[in-house]
Amino acid sequence: MQKRQRLDFRRKTQSKLEESWYDLDYDRELIIQSIAKQYNILPSEQENLHYSDWYRLVAGLMHDTPLGQVVRIRSEDNKDIIKNFDRYEKQIRSEWTAFRSQKAKETFTEQDKLETARYFERLFKGMFGKAGDK
């Protein structure tokens, strides 16, 4: 019996957010197709499907589903593999990058901007400031 592999759709990062390779709204159609393929059910036909159950279904999706294939493309970090992606795979990565950038802009608060500016100010001061400056 072949063992099924489950993709880790999220990767821990050094930021306060966890990097995710899918978005429940953005990838809604891929998620529905993947659930239909893997579990042989249509989420729209599940009258009493609670959010926690929906999330469990999504979290358990395997690599051989439509979402799994897209997540594999989005999360690839080997430059040699990326270099050999076809036009469709490159488009998937490009669209995801644009979506994540827009989402980050929308969620980046004024406090985040201020903290980032202070961080760079300290960084540059440390690099180029005089020895007595603190």
Side-chain angles (χ1 to χ4, degrees):
M1 183 169 157
Q2 185 181 6
K3 194 174 188 178
R4 294 186 111 186
Q5 177 186 1
R6 190 173 137 232
L7 286 179
D8 182 10
F9 288 164
R10 292 174 289 172
R11 176 173 29 190
K12 294 277 186 189
T13 63
Q14 303 244 346
S15 73
K16 59 186 169 183
L17 298 174
E18 196 173 73
E19 188 169 2
S20 179
W21 298 109
Y22 69 98
D23 181 87
L24 292 176
D25 290 325
Y26 183 80
D27 293 315
R28 181 173 298 281
E29 289 303 315
L30 284 173
I31 291 169
I32 290 169
Q33 293 167 7
S34 297
I35 288 174
K37 178 182 181 195
Q38 183 167 316
Y39 303 111
N40 203 25
I41 62 171
L42 290 174
S44 61
E45 294 177 0
Q46 310 307 308
E47 292 179 21
N48 297 319
L49 188 62
H50 295 285
Y51 179 79
S52 60
D53 296 328
W54 165 260
Y55 192 78
R56 280 190 207 108
L57 290 173
V58 174
L61 291 173
M62 302 293 178
H63 70 284
D64 62 343
T65 62
L67 181 64
Q69 293 300 315
V70 168
V71 166
R72 177 192 59 80
I73 293 165
R74 290 175 182 167
S75 63
E76 183 59 60
D77 58 3
N78 182 317
K79 292 180 183 185
D80 291 330
I81 293 174
I82 294 169
K83 183 174 69 173
N84 292 311
F85 274 173
D86 63 28
R87 188 171 58 185
Y88 176 71
E89 291 168 319
K90 288 177 182 176
Q91 180 182 350
I92 289 171
R93 286 181 64 86
S94 175
E95 289 172 357
W96 180 248
T97 300
F99 168 77
R100 294 287 291 172
S101 294
Q102 183 61 38
K103 191 170 183 177
K105 273 190 223 178
E106 293 169 2
T107 59
F108 203 61
T109 66
E110 288 302 316
Q111 182 64 30
D112 292 332
K113 292 175 187 175
L114 186 58
E115 288 175 16
T116 301
R118 287 182 181 151
Y119 167 78
F120 281 109
E121 185 178 279
R122 287 190 306 273
L123 179 69
F124 290 133
K125 192 171 190 177
M127 291 170 57
F128 304 112
K130 295 181 183 175
D133 290 348
K134 293 261 175 179

